[in-house]
Amino acid sequence: MADDSTSGRPGARRRTGGAIRPSGRRRAPHTRRRRILKAAAWTAAAAVVLGGTGLGFAYFKLDGNISGVDIDAKLGKHRPGDTPDGSMDILVLGSDSRSGTDGRYGQDQPGARSDTAMVVHINKKHDKASVISIPRDTVVERPGCERDDGGGTAPPQRAMFNSAYETGGPACAVKTVESMSGVRMDHYAEVDFAGFKKLIDDLGGVEVTTKKPIKDPDSHLNLSPGPHKLGGEQSLGLVRTRHGVGDGSDLGRIQLQQAFVKALMDQVNSVGVFSSPKKLYDLADSATSAVTTDSDLDSVGDLAGLANMLKGIKSDDIHMSTLPVTYDPQDPNRVVPIKSKAEKMWAAIKRDADVPKSAEKGSASDGNDAGSVVG
Protein backbone atom coordinates (compact mmCIF):
# COMPACT_ATOMS: atom_id res chain seq x y z
CA MET A 1 0.00 0.00 0.00
CA ALA A 2 1.37 3.37 -0.98
CA ASP A 3 2.52 5.69 1.77
CA ASP A 4 0.35 8.81 1.52
CA SER A 5 2.95 10.74 3.51
CA THR A 6 5.08 10.88 0.36
CA SER A 7 2.26 11.23 -2.16
CA GLY A 8 1.22 14.31 -4.00
CA ARG A 9 -1.98 14.85 -2.03
CA PRO A 10 -2.51 18.33 -0.53
CA GLY A 11 -1.03 18.67 2.90
CA ALA A 12 1.09 15.53 2.63
CA ARG A 13 4.06 15.54 4.99
CA ARG A 14 7.47 14.04 4.36
CA ARG A 15 9.07 12.68 7.50
CA THR A 16 12.72 12.58 6.63
CA GLY A 17 15.36 13.91 9.00
CA GLY A 18 15.68 17.69 8.75
CA ALA A 19 12.51 18.04 6.67
CA ILE A 20 11.03 21.48 6.14
CA ARG A 21 7.87 22.09 8.18
CA PRO A 22 4.92 23.88 6.51
CA SER A 23 5.93 27.01 8.45
CA GLY A 24 9.33 27.01 6.71
CA ARG A 25 11.27 26.05 9.84
CA ARG A 26 13.55 23.04 9.60
CA ARG A 27 12.85 20.22 12.02
CA ALA A 28 15.88 19.09 13.98
CA PRO A 29 17.04 15.54 13.20
CA HIS A 30 16.00 12.98 15.84
CA THR A 31 18.62 12.00 18.38
CA ARG A 32 18.86 8.39 19.61
CA ARG A 33 17.59 9.45 23.04
CA ARG A 34 14.57 11.20 21.55
CA ARG A 35 13.73 8.15 19.45
CA ILE A 36 13.87 5.87 22.46
CA LEU A 37 11.55 8.16 24.42
CA LYS A 38 9.10 8.13 21.54
CA ALA A 39 9.39 4.36 21.32
CA ALA A 40 8.44 4.15 24.99
CA ALA A 41 5.23 6.02 24.24
CA TRP A 42 4.54 3.61 21.41
CA THR A 43 4.97 0.57 23.61
CA ALA A 44 2.37 1.83 26.08
CA ALA A 45 -0.21 2.10 23.30
CA ALA A 46 0.68 -1.21 21.68
CA ALA A 47 -0.41 -2.92 24.89
CA VAL A 48 -3.91 -1.58 24.41
CA VAL A 49 -4.91 -2.28 20.83
CA LEU A 50 -3.40 -4.82 18.44
CA GLY A 51 -4.53 -5.36 14.98
CA GLY A 52 -4.32 -8.49 12.60
CA THR A 53 -5.55 -10.33 15.34
CA GLY A 54 -7.56 -9.34 15.14
CA LEU A 55 -5.64 -8.02 16.16
CA GLY A 56 -5.94 -5.18 16.12
CA PHE A 57 -5.57 -1.60 17.04
CA ALA A 58 -2.66 1.15 17.95
CA TYR A 59 0.94 0.73 16.90
CA PHE A 60 3.49 3.39 17.56
CA LYS A 61 5.48 4.78 14.88
CA LEU A 62 9.00 5.94 14.62
CA ASP A 63 8.97 8.86 12.19
CA GLY A 64 9.60 7.65 8.65
CA ASN A 65 8.04 4.18 9.03
CA ILE A 66 4.34 4.86 9.31
CA SER A 67 1.93 4.97 6.38
CA GLY A 68 -1.02 7.36 6.54
CA VAL A 69 -4.35 7.45 4.69
CA ASP A 70 -6.55 10.56 4.58
CA ILE A 71 -9.89 8.85 5.27
CA ASP A 72 -11.77 12.11 5.85
CA ALA A 73 -10.81 13.52 2.46
CA LYS A 74 -11.91 10.35 0.66
CA LEU A 75 -15.24 9.98 2.46
CA GLY A 76 -16.28 13.63 2.61
CA LYS A 77 -19.10 14.93 4.82
CA HIS A 78 -21.80 12.28 4.32
CA ARG A 79 -20.95 10.23 7.36
CA PRO A 80 -22.60 9.41 10.72
CA GLY A 81 -22.49 12.23 13.25
CA ASP A 82 -19.60 12.42 15.66
CA THR A 83 -20.28 11.94 19.38
CA PRO A 84 -18.24 14.58 21.25
CA ASP A 85 -18.48 12.90 24.64
CA GLY A 86 -14.87 11.74 24.93
CA SER A 87 -15.48 8.22 23.65
CA MET A 88 -13.62 6.93 20.60
CA ASP A 89 -14.26 4.35 17.88
CA ILE A 90 -11.45 2.82 15.84
CA LEU A 91 -11.68 0.38 12.95
CA VAL A 92 -8.76 -2.05 13.12
CA LEU A 93 -7.95 -4.33 10.21
CA GLY A 94 -5.39 -7.09 9.87
CA SER A 95 -4.34 -7.52 6.25
CA ASP A 96 -1.72 -8.94 3.93
CA SER A 97 -1.49 -5.71 1.93
CA ARG A 98 2.28 -5.42 2.27
CA SER A 99 3.25 -9.08 2.32
CA GLY A 100 1.67 -9.77 -1.06
CA THR A 101 0.34 -13.15 -2.12
CA ASP A 102 0.87 -15.66 0.64
CA GLY A 103 -0.77 -19.08 0.55
CA ARG A 104 0.85 -20.50 3.65
CA TYR A 105 -2.11 -19.78 5.91
CA GLY A 106 -4.94 -21.14 3.81
CA GLN A 107 -5.23 -18.12 1.49
CA ASP A 108 -5.94 -19.01 -2.10
CA GLN A 109 -6.56 -15.66 -3.80
CA PRO A 110 -4.05 -13.07 -5.02
CA GLY A 111 -4.07 -9.46 -3.92
CA ALA A 112 -4.56 -7.61 -0.65
CA ARG A 113 -7.28 -8.82 1.71
CA SER A 114 -8.52 -7.95 5.19
CA ASP A 115 -8.76 -11.16 7.18
CA THR A 116 -9.44 -9.48 10.52
CA ALA A 117 -11.81 -6.62 11.31
CA MET A 118 -12.53 -5.20 14.75
CA VAL A 119 -14.42 -2.10 15.84
CA VAL A 120 -12.80 -0.92 19.06
CA HIS A 121 -14.90 1.39 21.23
CA ILE A 122 -13.08 3.27 24.01
CA ASN A 123 -15.52 4.59 26.60
CA LYS A 124 -15.55 8.25 27.57
CA LYS A 125 -13.81 7.57 30.89
CA HIS A 126 -11.02 5.81 28.97
CA ASP A 127 -11.00 2.94 31.45
CA LYS A 128 -12.84 0.27 29.42
CA ALA A 129 -13.09 -0.90 25.83
CA SER A 130 -15.58 -2.93 23.82
CA VAL A 131 -14.35 -4.84 20.78
CA ILE A 132 -16.80 -6.05 18.12
CA SER A 133 -15.30 -8.44 15.57
CA ILE A 134 -16.89 -8.50 12.11
CA PRO A 135 -16.60 -11.86 10.31
CA ARG A 136 -14.94 -11.42 6.95
CA ASP A 137 -17.55 -13.75 5.39
CA THR A 138 -20.48 -11.53 6.48
CA VAL A 139 -22.77 -10.63 3.59
CA VAL A 140 -23.48 -6.89 3.71
CA GLU A 141 -24.95 -4.16 1.55
CA ARG A 142 -21.64 -2.66 0.55
CA PRO A 143 -22.00 1.03 -0.37
CA GLY A 144 -20.60 2.51 -3.54
CA CYS A 145 -16.88 3.22 -3.12
CA GLU A 146 -14.13 4.91 -5.05
CA ARG A 147 -11.90 2.14 -6.33
CA ASP A 148 -8.49 1.90 -4.73
CA ASP A 149 -6.83 1.58 -8.17
CA GLY A 150 -8.43 4.82 -9.36
CA GLY A 151 -10.66 2.96 -11.80
CA GLY A 152 -13.91 4.76 -11.01
CA THR A 153 -16.65 3.99 -8.52
CA ALA A 154 -17.76 0.50 -7.55
CA PRO A 155 -21.56 0.29 -7.44
CA PRO A 156 -23.35 -0.71 -4.26
CA GLN A 157 -24.03 -4.42 -4.02
CA ARG A 158 -24.67 -7.38 -1.74
CA ALA A 159 -21.16 -8.65 -1.08
CA MET A 160 -18.83 -10.18 1.48
CA PHE A 161 -17.62 -7.69 4.05
CA ASN A 162 -13.94 -8.11 3.23
CA SER A 163 -14.58 -7.24 -0.43
CA ALA A 164 -14.84 -3.60 0.69
CA TYR A 165 -11.12 -3.43 1.44
CA GLU A 166 -10.24 -5.34 -1.71
CA THR A 167 -12.37 -2.95 -3.79
CA GLY A 168 -11.62 0.46 -2.30
CA GLY A 169 -8.96 0.03 0.38
CA PRO A 170 -9.22 1.55 3.87
CA ALA A 171 -11.72 4.26 2.92
CA CYS A 172 -14.20 1.73 1.55
CA ALA A 173 -13.75 -0.51 4.60
CA VAL A 174 -14.53 2.45 6.89
CA LYS A 175 -17.49 3.50 4.73
CA THR A 176 -18.91 -0.02 4.84
CA VAL A 177 -18.60 -0.27 8.63
CA GLU A 178 -20.20 3.15 9.10
CA SER A 179 -23.02 2.20 6.72
CA MET A 180 -23.84 -1.04 8.53
CA SER A 181 -23.41 0.32 12.08
CA GLY A 182 -24.37 3.99 11.96
CA VAL A 183 -21.28 4.62 14.10
CA ARG A 184 -18.65 7.10 12.90
CA MET A 185 -15.11 5.73 13.00
CA ASP A 186 -12.85 8.31 14.62
CA HIS A 187 -9.71 6.49 13.54
CA TYR A 188 -8.40 3.69 11.36
CA ALA A 189 -5.49 1.32 12.00
CA GLU A 190 -4.31 -1.49 9.75
CA VAL A 191 -1.67 -4.06 10.68
CA ASP A 192 0.21 -6.01 8.04
CA PHE A 193 0.53 -9.71 8.87
CA ALA A 194 4.19 -9.99 7.87
CA GLY A 195 5.07 -7.10 10.19
CA PHE A 196 2.93 -8.64 12.93
CA LYS A 197 4.97 -11.84 12.70
CA LYS A 198 8.25 -9.95 13.08
CA LEU A 199 6.87 -7.98 16.03
CA ILE A 200 6.02 -11.20 17.90
CA ASP A 201 9.55 -12.49 17.28
CA ASP A 202 11.06 -9.24 18.55
CA LEU A 203 8.85 -9.49 21.61
CA GLY A 204 10.25 -12.95 22.32
CA GLY A 205 7.00 -14.81 21.63
CA VAL A 206 3.58 -14.88 23.28
CA GLU A 207 2.53 -17.37 25.93
CA VAL A 208 -0.79 -19.15 25.42
CA THR A 209 -2.36 -22.27 26.89
CA THR A 210 -4.31 -24.59 24.64
CA LYS A 211 -7.04 -26.69 26.23
CA LYS A 212 -7.56 -28.88 23.18
CA PRO A 213 -5.32 -29.94 20.28
CA ILE A 214 -5.07 -27.53 17.36
CA LYS A 215 -4.09 -29.16 14.08
CA ASP A 216 -4.31 -27.32 10.80
CA PRO A 217 -1.96 -28.22 7.91
CA ASP A 218 -2.96 -25.04 6.06
CA SER A 219 -1.73 -22.90 8.96
CA HIS A 220 1.19 -25.19 9.82
CA LEU A 221 -0.16 -25.67 13.33
CA ASN A 222 0.17 -28.81 15.44
CA LEU A 223 -0.30 -27.80 19.08
CA SER A 224 -0.99 -30.28 21.84
CA PRO A 225 -2.99 -29.27 24.94
CA GLY A 226 -0.92 -27.29 27.42
CA PRO A 227 1.23 -24.13 27.65
CA HIS A 228 3.08 -22.88 24.58
CA LYS A 229 5.29 -19.93 23.75
CA LEU A 230 4.43 -19.08 20.18
CA GLY A 231 6.88 -17.32 17.89
CA GLY A 232 5.82 -15.08 15.04
CA GLU A 233 5.17 -17.85 12.52
CA GLN A 234 3.01 -19.90 14.90
CA SER A 235 1.21 -16.81 16.22
CA LEU A 236 0.28 -15.76 12.70
CA GLY A 237 -0.87 -19.29 11.95
CA LEU A 238 -3.04 -19.29 15.08
CA VAL A 239 -4.84 -16.02 14.33
CA ARG A 240 -5.43 -17.02 10.70
CA THR A 241 -6.42 -20.67 11.09
CA ARG A 242 -9.95 -21.59 10.01
CA HIS A 243 -9.87 -25.36 10.10
CA GLY A 244 -8.04 -26.20 13.32
CA VAL A 245 -10.92 -25.41 15.69
CA GLY A 246 -14.68 -25.10 15.89
CA ASP A 247 -16.73 -25.68 12.75
CA GLY A 248 -13.99 -24.54 10.37
CA SER A 249 -15.61 -21.17 9.74
CA ASP A 250 -14.41 -17.63 10.29
CA LEU A 251 -16.37 -17.57 13.57
CA GLY A 252 -13.93 -19.97 15.23
CA ARG A 253 -10.95 -18.00 14.00
CA ILE A 254 -12.37 -14.80 15.48
CA GLN A 255 -12.56 -16.33 18.95
CA LEU A 256 -8.95 -17.46 18.69
CA GLN A 257 -7.96 -13.95 17.59
CA GLN A 258 -9.72 -12.39 20.56
CA ALA A 259 -8.03 -14.77 23.01
CA PHE A 260 -4.65 -14.09 21.41
CA VAL A 261 -5.10 -10.30 21.58
CA LYS A 262 -5.55 -10.48 25.34
CA ALA A 263 -2.54 -12.80 25.72
CA LEU A 264 -0.44 -10.43 23.61
CA MET A 265 -1.46 -7.42 25.70
CA ASP A 266 -0.51 -9.25 28.87
CA GLN A 267 2.83 -10.20 27.33
CA VAL A 268 3.62 -6.60 26.34
CA ASN A 269 2.75 -5.46 29.87
CA SER A 270 4.92 -8.10 31.53
CA VAL A 271 8.04 -8.10 29.37
CA GLY A 272 10.85 -5.84 30.55
CA VAL A 273 11.20 -3.68 27.45
CA PHE A 274 11.70 -0.47 29.42
CA SER A 275 14.87 -1.91 30.99
CA SER A 276 16.35 -2.60 27.56
CA PRO A 277 16.53 0.44 25.24
CA LYS A 278 17.63 -1.76 22.32
CA LYS A 279 14.71 -4.15 22.69
CA LEU A 280 12.33 -1.23 23.07
CA TYR A 281 13.63 0.39 19.90
CA ASP A 282 13.53 -2.89 17.94
CA LEU A 283 9.90 -3.43 18.96
CA ALA A 284 8.94 0.11 17.99
CA ASP A 285 10.74 -0.16 14.66
CA SER A 286 9.06 -3.46 13.78
CA ALA A 287 5.62 -2.29 14.84
CA THR A 288 5.69 1.04 13.06
CA SER A 289 6.90 -0.59 9.85
CA ALA A 290 3.78 -2.77 9.90
CA VAL A 291 1.11 -0.15 10.50
CA THR A 292 -1.08 2.09 8.37
CA THR A 293 -3.31 4.64 10.13
CA ASP A 294 -5.60 7.48 9.24
CA SER A 295 -3.86 10.82 8.73
CA ASP A 296 -4.79 12.02 12.23
CA LEU A 297 -2.69 9.25 13.80
CA ASP A 298 0.23 9.03 11.39
CA SER A 299 2.88 10.59 13.61
CA VAL A 300 4.59 9.62 16.84
CA GLY A 301 3.16 12.69 18.58
CA ASP A 302 -0.44 11.79 17.65
CA LEU A 303 0.02 8.18 18.71
CA ALA A 304 1.68 9.20 21.96
CA GLY A 305 -1.44 11.22 22.79
CA LEU A 306 -3.60 8.17 22.12
CA ALA A 307 -1.30 6.03 24.24
CA ASN A 308 -1.61 8.44 27.15
CA MET A 309 -5.40 8.31 26.85
CA LEU A 310 -5.52 4.51 26.86
CA LYS A 311 -2.74 3.67 29.28
CA GLY A 312 -5.13 2.63 32.08
CA ILE A 313 -6.91 -0.07 30.05
CA LYS A 314 -5.74 -3.64 30.70
CA SER A 315 -6.81 -6.87 29.05
CA ASP A 316 -9.41 -7.53 31.78
CA ASP A 317 -11.02 -4.17 30.97
CA ILE A 318 -11.85 -5.23 27.41
CA HIS A 319 -15.11 -6.94 26.47
CA MET A 320 -14.80 -9.01 23.31
CA SER A 321 -17.86 -9.81 21.20
CA THR A 322 -18.70 -10.79 17.64
CA LEU A 323 -21.31 -9.26 15.36
CA PRO A 324 -24.41 -11.47 15.79
CA VAL A 325 -24.90 -13.48 12.62
CA THR A 326 -26.66 -16.51 11.23
CA TYR A 327 -25.66 -18.72 8.33
CA ASP A 328 -26.82 -17.39 4.97
CA PRO A 329 -29.66 -19.57 3.61
CA GLN A 330 -28.38 -18.83 0.10
CA ASP A 331 -24.82 -19.97 0.88
CA PRO A 332 -23.86 -21.94 4.02
CA ASN A 333 -20.27 -20.68 3.64
CA ARG A 334 -21.46 -17.13 4.34
CA VAL A 335 -23.16 -15.44 7.29
CA VAL A 336 -25.65 -12.56 7.48
CA PRO A 337 -26.19 -10.16 10.40
CA ILE A 338 -29.13 -10.79 12.72
CA LYS A 339 -30.53 -7.30 12.26
CA SER A 340 -32.36 -6.85 15.57
CA LYS A 341 -29.41 -8.08 17.64
CA ALA A 342 -26.82 -6.17 15.61
CA GLU A 343 -28.82 -2.98 16.13
CA LYS A 344 -28.74 -3.57 19.90
CA MET A 345 -24.98 -3.92 19.75
CA TRP A 346 -24.38 -0.77 17.72
CA ALA A 347 -26.91 1.18 19.80
CA ALA A 348 -24.95 0.32 22.95
CA ILE A 349 -21.77 1.66 21.35
CA LYS A 350 -23.52 4.90 20.41
CA ARG A 351 -24.71 5.33 24.01
CA ASP A 352 -21.25 4.53 25.36
CA ALA A 353 -22.80 1.57 27.19
CA ASP A 354 -21.73 -2.04 27.66
CA VAL A 355 -22.76 -4.42 24.89
CA PRO A 356 -25.80 -6.32 26.27
CA LYS A 357 -25.48 -10.09 26.57
CA SER A 358 -28.86 -10.43 24.88
CA ALA A 359 -27.33 -9.04 21.68
CA GLU A 360 -24.89 -11.94 21.53
CA LYS A 361 -27.25 -14.81 22.39
CA GLY A 362 -28.61 -16.81 19.49
CA SER A 363 -25.75 -15.88 17.16
CA ALA A 364 -24.04 -18.60 15.13
CA SER A 365 -20.85 -17.83 17.06
CA ASP A 366 -22.52 -19.05 20.26
CA GLY A 367 -22.32 -22.64 19.09
CA ASN A 368 -18.64 -22.41 18.24
CA ASP A 369 -16.27 -23.93 20.80
CA ALA A 370 -13.11 -22.10 19.71
CA GLY A 371 -13.26 -19.88 22.77
CA SER A 372 -12.67 -22.93 24.95
CA VAL A 373 -9.60 -24.00 22.99
CA VAL A 374 -7.19 -21.25 24.09
CA GLY A 375 -7.15 -20.07 27.71
Side-chain angles (χ1 to χ4, degrees):
M1 185 173 294
D3 184 343
D4 283 0
S5 64
T6 58
S7 70
R9 65 175 173 81
R13 293 169 289 174
R14 296 182 181 270
R15 295 183 183 81
T16 54
I20 300 296
R21 292 174 179 266
S23 62
R25 293 183 285 110
R26 184 174 295 275
R27 177 168 55 195
H30 299 309
T31 65
R32 176 177 172 80
R33 174 177 173 79
R34 186 180 176 195
R35 284 187 171 187
I36 291 173
L37 289 174
K38 287 183 176 181
W42 169 83
T43 303
V48 180
V49 183
L50 287 222
T53 198
L55 291 165
F57 318 121
Y59 275 88
F60 269 82
K61 174 69 195 155
L62 296 178
D63 284 350
N65 282 355
I66 198 168
S67 297
V69 179
D70 194 343
I71 300 291
D72 288 339
K74 290 191 175 185
L75 295 187
K77 298 180 180 179
H78 301 293
R79 302 175 64 186
D82 201 3
T83 53
D85 61 357
S87 65
M88 181 180 294
D89 298 286
I90 308 171
L91 175 60
V92 179
L93 296 185
S95 79
D96 55 9
S97 61
R98 297 192 192 182
S99 56
T101 302
D102 188 349
R104 290 177 298 166
Y105 305 99
Q107 296 299 324
D108 54 7
Q109 299 177 3
R113 294 168 297 278
S114 58
D115 269 5
T116 302
M118 296 180 174
V119 173
V120 180
H121 174 79
I122 310 299
N123 72 345
K124 62 184 178 183
K125 293 183 179 179
H126 307 152
D127 59 2
K128 290 194 299 185
S130 297
V131 176
I132 300 176
S133 294
I134 302 175
R136 55 164 283 171
D137 296 336
T138 304
V139 177
V140 300
E141 295 297 327
R142 192 190 70 210
C145 294
E146 180 182 338
R147 291 188 180 277
D148 202 32
D149 59 8
T153 302
Q157 59 178 285
R158 185 177 185 270
M160 278 176 55
F161 171 77
N162 76 330
S163 72
Y165 181 89
E166 197 172 356
T167 299
C172 190
V174 170
K175 187 175 184 179
T176 300
V177 170
E178 292 185 344
S179 175
M180 63 191 291
S181 68
V183 178
R184 184 187 181 100
M185 296 297 106
D186 299 296
H187 293 297
Y188 171 84
E190 175 188 330
V191 181
D192 170 63
F193 285 135
F196 164 81
K197 183 170 66 173
K198 186 175 186 304
L199 174 64
I200 298 300
D201 285 334
D202 287 345
L203 188 61
V206 175
E207 296 177 358
V208 301
T209 298
T210 54
K211 300 177 182 179
K212 297 179 182 179
I214 301 179
K215 294 184 179 181
D216 183 1
D218 290 339
S219 296
H220 301 271
L221 284 177
N222 187 2
L223 302 176
S224 59
H228 301 275
K229 192 164 191 176
L230 304 183
E233 186 79 17
Q234 286 183 307
S235 295
L236 185 54
L238 182 69
V239 300
R240 299 191 76 178
T241 184
R242 295 176 65 106
H243 308 296
V245 295
D247 62 2
S249 74
D250 195 41
L251 301 178
R253 172 166 56 181
I254 283 173
Q255 293 184 13
L256 286 179
Q257 290 170 351
Q258 292 174 348
F260 186 84
V261 166
K262 290 198 171 188
L264 179 53
M265 289 179 62
D266 290 338
Q267 181 76 4
V268 172
N269 282 330
S270 65
V271 73
V273 293
F274 291 102
S275 62
S276 172
K278 183 183 184 304
K279 185 166 189 174
L280 185 62
Y281 184 84
D282 288 345
L283 281 169
D285 188 48
S286 295
T288 53
S289 297
V291 70
T292 298
T293 72
D294 64 276
S295 54
D296 288 336
L297 283 181
D298 63 354
S299 74
V300 171
D302 294 330
L303 288 168
L306 179 62
N308 186 59
M309 177 191 298
L310 307 182
K311 64 184 178 183
I313 300 178
K314 308 301 180 187
S315 63
D316 289 342
D317 301 320
I318 299 179
H319 174 76
M320 298 282 192
S321 59
T322 301
L323 183 74
V325 294
T326 187
Y327 290 103
D328 185 357
Q330 299 182 35
D331 184 347
N333 295 315
R334 303 287 179 262
V335 294
V336 293
I338 302 174
K339 186 176 180 181
S340 60
K341 293 182 178 293
E343 287 177 348
K344 281 186 180 181
M345 196 169 274
W346 298 125
I349 295 300
K350 292 177 188 177
R351 298 194 311 271
D352 196 32
D354 294 337
V355 173
K357 292 183 179 180
S358 61
E360 302 179 64
K361 288 184 178 179
S363 173
S365 60
D366 276 355
N368 209 303
D369 66 351
S372 66
V373 174
V374 175

